[in-house]
Amino acid sequence: MRAALGVMLVATLAACEPVGMTGPGQPAVRLMGDVVVAAPDGYCVDPVVTRPQTGFALLAACAAMDPDGDGSFPDDVALITVQVGAAGSAAVAGQEDAFRAFLETPQGAALLSASAIGGPVAVRGTQANTNAVAVYTQDAGPPGVAGTQSTSWRLFTDVKGRLVTVSVRGLEQTPLSQDGSLDLVLQVLGLLRGANGGTATAT
């Protein structure tokens, strides 16, 4: 089962960008704006798809990137993306309730759809706390990356004056529950806060 999962995840990663894997990644990466992204236990930064100069990182199971190694898969397997916005793009801290309310409108759903892999999404739930707004969405059509779930959590937070978006999408073969997916996105938030001098905030 784990071997089959590894093959599937490598294939899914390859679908994100048409290049081959080059080996295991690192546990952290520094993106533009000096924003440090650290991976949860069992996850590594994908060295091929990640683009530090554009503020984008893909985190995936380390074992999938190093099929010849002896590492084990994390209990919850998913594709995790982190996108850091431009300088001055911060939009969450102090405006959490308004941000959350906007995401629940048709205009908010349209904005999420425009920035999602796979096209239109429906908003299934939102949560907010200090400097953190999360939204649970479901794809209206097939997922943009074959083999992944149609549902995902996306979280928005401000780091060093920039809007940072974290998304977690499980695999179709080993789907994540809504709570499991939220737990993973909150792990990334906690690591993001810790690595950048902030305080982790649960939604």
Side-chain angles (χ1 to χ4, degrees), residues 28-193:
V29 64
R30 191 178 301 275
L31 303 181
M32 69 176 187
D34 202 34
V35 175
V36 178
V37 175
D41 288 344
Y43 282 83
C44 290
V45 178
D46 179 83
V48 175
V49 181
T50 295
R51 292 288 181 266
Q53 68 275 17
T54 62
F56 176 79
L58 173 68
L59 313 179
C62 302
M65 299 183 204
D66 187 16
D68 296 327
D70 57 2
S72 60
F73 281 84
D75 291 336
D76 293 323
V77 180
L79 295 181
I80 304 170
T81 62
V82 180
Q83 180 67 61
V84 177
S89 60
V92 179
Q95 306 178 80
E96 294 88 350
D97 290 340
F99 198 116
R100 175 183 182 179
F102 172 71
L103 293 179
E104 294 173 342
T105 67
Q107 293 83 0
L111 180 63
L112 291 168
S113 299
S115 61
I117 296 175
V121 298
V123 174
R124 299 304 186 197
T126 58
Q127 297 189 25
N129 207 309
T130 305
N131 192 17
V133 176
V135 56
Y136 191 61
T137 63
Q138 182 170 16
D139 297 332
V145 179
T148 60
Q149 283 181 264
S150 62
T151 54
S152 66
W153 273 104
R154 209 176 317 180
L155 183 139
F156 302 89
T157 187
D158 295 339
V159 179
K160 298 181 178 179
R162 297 170 183 263
L163 178 65
V164 177
T165 306
V166 179
S167 67
V168 171
R169 185 178 289 265
L171 303 183
E172 187 176 35
Q173 185 175 334
T174 55
L176 291 177
S177 67
Q178 183 172 348
D179 288 343
S181 180
L182 178 60
D183 180 69
L184 192 51
V185 82
L186 291 179
Q187 287 184 51
V188 178
L189 174 63
L191 292 167
L192 189 65
R193 292 281 190 260

